[in-house]
Amino acid sequence: LALLLRWSWLIILAAIIACGAAFFVSSKMTPVYQAETTVLVNASSSSKTVDYSSLMLNSSLAQTYSQMMVKTPILEEVANRLGLKKIDPDSVNAEPTSNTQLILVTVEANDPAQAAAIANELIVVFKEQIISLQSERYANSLQSLQEQITNIQEQIELINYDMARAIDQSELDLLKSRLANYQMTYTSLLQTFEQVRLAQADTISSIVQIEPAIPPE
């Protein structure tokens, strides 16, 4: 106790110097703000099951998506939309929560509003990217069906035009028969188009932002 009392002035002085130095250094440093957002990943309805494997599938998908969403093409598109020159890959992190369907996305920036904007736009861009990638395999089929539907519509219009100018009953009957065949084909194509469109929707995994990022204090 005597030693502490004797050297107390030195201890206090050292503490004051240390605190002053820490304050000086920290005041000169550029502040870094961290914004967070959380997303929920759901596997496509066509791949869902009703048992434990469903949870494992979604968890695995969350791990995959967490790696995909911080890749350079995604970050470049986010920067382009926000009018930024570049986004440092080291400032963005996506971490899946163990054994869940959740991904925690964190973004660091010198401006709090910018950090939140990057985090939120990242989810928007990645969601669009996933939908685009998963829809590509159906694009050719849908385009082909749409072309056939358009062609059948044109044929039906031509037959209706000819029917209005038919000069005898035999010609009219022939046109009616052709019209009925085209209408059946048209209905079948519409049904097929709708089936393909629904199949496309069933195979797209959903990404839901359940906690948007806000500018950190």
Side-chain angles (χ1 to χ4, degrees):
L1 182 58
L3 287 173
L4 287 176
L5 291 174
R6 180 180 178 183
W7 296 103
S8 60
W9 65 272
L10 182 60
I11 296 174
I12 295 174
L13 180 61
I16 292 175
I17 293 175
C19 290
F23 176 79
F24 177 78
V25 172
S26 63
S27 65
K28 296 300 181 181
M29 293 175 62
T30 302
V32 177
Y33 300 89
Q34 186 181 78
E36 297 182 350
T37 181
T38 304
V39 295
L40 174 68
V41 176
N42 279 316
S44 60
S45 58
S46 62
S47 61
K48 286 182 178 178
T49 58
V50 294
D51 53 18
Y52 178 72
S53 62
S54 175
L55 176 60
M56 298 304 297
L57 174 63
N58 286 320
S59 178
S60 176
L61 194 61
Q63 293 181 7
T64 302
Y65 282 0
S66 67
Q67 297 180 35
M68 292 175 61
M69 65 172 54
V70 295
K71 296 299 183 182
T72 301
I74 301 294
L75 298 181
E76 288 180 347
E77 179 61 23
V78 173
N80 181 58
R81 295 190 183 187
L82 296 178
L84 303 175
K85 292 183 179 180
K86 185 180 180 181
I87 296 177
D88 183 4
D90 293 334
S91 68
V92 182
N93 184 57
E95 192 71 26
T97 304
S98 300
N99 299 322
T100 72
Q101 302 165 231
L102 300 177
I103 299 176
L104 176 64
V105 179
T106 58
V107 177
E108 294 182 349
N110 299 131
D111 180 78
Q114 185 181 96
I118 293 175
N120 290 324
E121 193 64 31
L122 178 69
I123 306 306
V124 174
V125 171
F126 183 67
K127 184 185 299 185
E128 293 174 356
Q129 178 82 2
I130 289 298
I131 293 175
S132 176
L133 289 174
Q134 295 180 337
S135 299
E136 282 183 0
R137 51 180 161 171
Y138 293 94
N140 291 335
S141 296
L142 290 173
Q143 181 179 356
S144 177
L145 286 169
Q146 186 60 60
E147 291 174 353
Q148 294 179 59
I149 290 172
T150 301
N151 181 59
I152 293 296
Q153 287 176 325
E154 293 174 352
Q155 295 299 324
I156 291 175
E157 291 176 359
L158 288 174
I159 292 177
N160 285 327
Y161 178 83
D162 292 338
M163 287 177 61
R165 289 161 177 76
I167 58 177
D168 56 51
Q169 187 62 39
S170 60
E171 182 182 2
L172 183 61
D173 291 341
L174 178 61
L175 290 172
K176 286 182 178 179
S177 177
R178 292 175 58 189
L179 178 62
N181 290 332
Y182 277 125
Q183 288 175 334
M184 290 178 59
T185 303
Y186 179 76
T187 301
S188 177
L189 286 172
L190 284 180
Q191 292 176 346
T192 304
F193 184 88
E194 185 64 17
Q195 289 172 355
V196 174
R197 192 185 65 80
L198 291 175
Q200 178 189 38
D202 286 342
T203 56
I204 294 179
S205 303
S206 66
I207 300 173
V208 182
Q209 187 178 23
I210 61 174
E211 188 179 11
I214 59 175
E217 298 180 359

